[in-house]
Amino acid sequence: MKLISLKLNKLASITYSVISIVLISCGGNNNSTGTNKDTGDTTAASGNEKTLLGAGSTFVNPLFSKMFAEYNKKTGMEVNYQSIGSGGGILQLTNKTVDFGASDGPLNDEQTGKIGVPVLHIPMASGAVVLTYNLPGVTASLKFTPDVIADIFLGKIKKWDDKRITSLNAGTTIPSFPILVAHRSDGSGTTNIFTNYLSKVSPEWSSKVGSGGAVNWPLGLGGKGNEGVSGLVKQTPGAVGYVELIYALQNKMTYAQVKNLKGNFITPSLA
């Protein structure tokens, strides 16, 4: 099957989001796809001319699910995408078992070197990582400042009725629940985005934990994928976690307003 007119049989592919931008490219690789030596046309890793295989980011999976279903209706081409997390997508791409990978953070030099061929990154969509929580009796969108968010995930703020939280949310009665932090257990581009933010707003976080797709969390419970973190928060009173916005919307979960550099509290939205 000819993917595109360019000879991509020497390219691997990756999907990623930088901060909140997701990127993807499709192509083949001599080790992962069938290639016509005479024409240079590339076939899918599945061996089926009507199927492409992809894996990775859970961040972008809701969008991909809709896009690929519509694409199948119009073309008959099936895109089989596994929502296993950015780390898993990079690993499968490195092992040449998929046609494209998906990650919310671009490959670094070491990761690219392991793949052994040029990697093409193409942007697909933008999205927001939001702070979502399960606080019985509270339906309002609570306000948080960057330092408060960092100290919650550092374990320095342990209860929901801490003065640093209640002072930001005058007029809202906040119960004295212990805070349970939910985070990703797998290699994650969403984690990369969130910890990059924490490293920028908190010198203590930057020095003690740092940023990346996988970090040594100071505390909390881990869930696999955005789906896993959403599930943990939704099922656990007092829990707080970070997910892509669509997971909070689909699960009807409350999410926070965050203070920006100009001093305004921003409510995440599709806009």
Side-chain angles (χ1 to χ4, degrees), residues 36-249:
N36 186 311
K37 295 180 181 179
D38 296 324
T39 65
D41 294 350
T42 306
T43 58
S46 67
N48 185 335
E49 291 187 353
K50 286 290 186 179
T51 302
L52 287 175
L53 300 181
S57 169
T58 62
F59 185 105
V60 79
N61 186 49
L63 174 64
F64 276 3
S65 296
K66 179 66 173 177
M67 288 172 60
F68 297 154
E70 292 299 315
Y71 189 66
N72 177 256
K73 291 178 185 177
K74 293 181 181 296
T75 67
M77 171 69 69
E78 181 180 358
V79 183
N80 184 346
Y81 181 75
Q82 303 168 46
S83 177
I84 60 174
S86 298
I90 293 171
L91 178 62
Q92 288 207 23
L93 185 68
T94 304
N95 291 338
K96 316 296 191 301
T97 57
V98 292
D99 296 300
F100 67 92
S103 171
D104 305 325
L107 296 185
N108 57 36
D109 291 341
E110 181 182 356
Q111 290 169 326
T112 302
K114 289 180 179 179
I115 292 178
V117 293
V119 175
L120 181 64
H121 298 82
I122 301 176
M124 285 298 290
S126 62
V129 175
V130 303
L131 200 66
T132 185
Y133 51 88
N134 178 353
L135 199 50
V138 177
T139 58
S141 176
L142 296 179
K143 296 178 179 179
F144 290 92
T145 55
D147 60 297
V148 166
I149 296 172
D151 283 350
I152 287 173
F153 281 81
L154 283 167
K156 298 174 71 174
I157 297 178
K158 301 180 183 296
K159 301 193 78 174
W160 280 103
D161 61 346
D162 187 285
K163 288 184 178 179
R164 292 174 63 191
I165 296 177
T166 57
S167 64
L168 294 170
N169 296 278
T172 300
T173 301
I174 300 178
S176 184
F177 256 90
I179 295 174
L180 186 145
V181 167
H183 57 74
R184 290 286 287 275
S185 61
D186 53 325
S188 160
T190 309
T191 295
N192 191 20
I193 294 168
F194 187 61
T195 56
N196 181 273
Y197 168 76
L198 292 179
S199 293
K200 289 178 177 177
V201 301
S202 169
E204 184 176 358
W205 181 277
S206 180
S207 63
K208 289 184 177 180
V209 184
S211 62
V215 298
N216 291 319
W217 294 94
L219 76 167
L221 295 177
K224 185 170 176 58
N226 275 276
E227 300 93 340
V229 174
S230 299
L232 272 176
V233 173
K234 193 169 184 178
Q235 296 166 19
T236 311
V240 60
Y242 59 95
V243 297
E244 204 281 325
L245 173 60
I246 195 64
Y247 288 88
L249 294 175

